Amino acid sequence: MPIRYANFLCTISLGLCLVLAAGRALAAETDPDGRRYVESATPLVDVELALDRAKERDRPLLVVAGANWCHDSRALASRLGQSPLADLVQENYELVFVSVGFYEQGRDVMQRFGVPHYYATPTVLIIDPSSGQVINEADRHQWGNAYNIGMSASVDYFQKWSNEDRPAEPVVESAELRRLDQEIDAFERQLADRVVAGYAVVGPLLAATEAGNRPEKFSASWDELSKFRNAIPTAVQELRTEARRRVAAGEDNVQLVFPRFAPLSWEG
């Protein structure tokens, strides 16, 4: 075969490969089923690069951590690809999806932004590009019920945070409130570590179930962990609300009563 003709065929083949790759990428971005949680060898690097882009464009970073096996994760991802929400997000946010796998991935991304762990899939973090702080701290977990949150409510939520005024300087808290926040942070980290241990139990059972080999103890273990992990955000937020109320009322040396959670079956 003449060299010039062989080079022509190589060029055509390369072009077709690029077109097919672009088509696959576009399909992944616009998948109506919401399967946009593609596993990455370097998820934290992906998020850091997205944060750099957010800084350059002076817009919040939107991190959506979920999984393709999760119907709530797919529901939110699908909605993010549809108008009017897609238009709103494209105009106002830098969006990055993070796959949590079968609960064995994603904690490093959470901890990068001071979040002990995710308790729901999906979990949504909205990050201020200048400070790197989570600005939707109180309700980052609500999207674990994304399947039941409609388009209108979704647009309202992300519109609100895109318009939220970002303080030029961080808010200075009193020494008493800082102390209480540190105690609450330590309490949440302890609970998050228990969730990690629970994910190590439930994750493989979930993977087996998704592969068509549902273990007998899957449902009981799933329900037990779900009840525990879903209770954490409410407990933590109630503690923070109480701390702020009592400090604002002028109390000194506030002593919070931390809730107790019974040991889970795998904790002995």
Side-chain angles (χ1 to χ4, degrees), residues 157-183:
Y157 181 89
F158 290 104
Q159 182 71 64
K160 169 187 179 295
W161 287 113
S162 70
N163 290 335
E164 194 75 8
D165 290 333
R166 299 190 298 236
E169 298 292 337
V171 177
V172 178
E173 296 181 338
S174 68
E176 178 69 358
L177 192 52
R178 285 199 304 272
R179 177 184 69 81
L180 291 171
D181 274 337
Q182 288 170 359
E183 290 181 2

Side-chain angles (χ1 to χ4, degrees), residues 29-204:
E29 290 180 0
T30 60
D31 184 354
D33 193 32
R35 297 179 184 275
R36 300 178 67 179
Y37 303 89
V38 179
E39 292 197 14
S40 167
T42 57
L44 192 54
V45 173
D46 299 339
V47 171
E48 292 288 0
L49 291 173
L51 180 59
D52 288 341
R53 294 193 298 271
K55 290 177 180 177
E56 291 173 2
R57 299 174 182 177
D58 190 30
R59 56 175 59 185
L61 172 65
L62 174 55
V63 179
V64 181
N68 288 335
W69 52 259
C70 171
H71 74 294
D72 286 300
S73 296
R74 295 197 307 274
L76 178 57
S78 178
R79 209 169 298 132
L80 285 165
Q82 301 172 30
S83 294
L85 184 57
D87 304 321
L88 169 67
V89 169
Q90 184 175 9
E91 183 177 346
N92 294 282
Y93 291 92
E94 188 66 38
L95 172 61
V96 61
F97 287 93
V98 174
S99 171
V100 303
F102 289 103
Y103 291 135
E104 79 280 14
Q105 301 172 22
R107 192 182 191 189
D108 55 346
V109 172
M110 296 292 114
Q111 291 181 326
R112 163 64 178 82
F113 299 107
V115 175
H117 208 9
Y118 51 85
Y119 309 123
T121 49
T123 288
V124 169
L125 302 184
I126 300 177
I127 311 296
D128 177 84
S130 300
S131 66
Q133 298 297 307
V134 178
I135 60 178
N136 66 326
E137 171 65 29
D139 55 15
R140 68 180 190 263
H141 316 281
Q142 76 170 47
W143 295 96
N145 190 38
Y147 186 83
N148 295 313
I149 300 176
M151 176 63 83
S152 178
S154 299
V155 169
D156 289 346
Y157 181 89
F158 290 104
Q159 182 71 64
K160 169 187 179 295
W161 287 113
S162 70
N163 290 335
E164 194 75 8
D165 290 333
R166 299 190 298 236
E169 298 292 337
V171 177
V172 178
E173 296 181 338
S174 68
E176 178 69 358
L177 192 52
R178 285 199 304 272
R179 177 184 69 81
L180 291 171
D181 274 337
Q182 288 170 359
E183 290 181 2
I184 296 169
D185 289 345
F187 170 71
E188 185 178 2
R189 285 195 296 271
Q190 292 175 353
L191 297 179
D193 287 342
R194 293 177 64 185
V195 171
V196 172
Y199 283 161
V201 172
V202 171

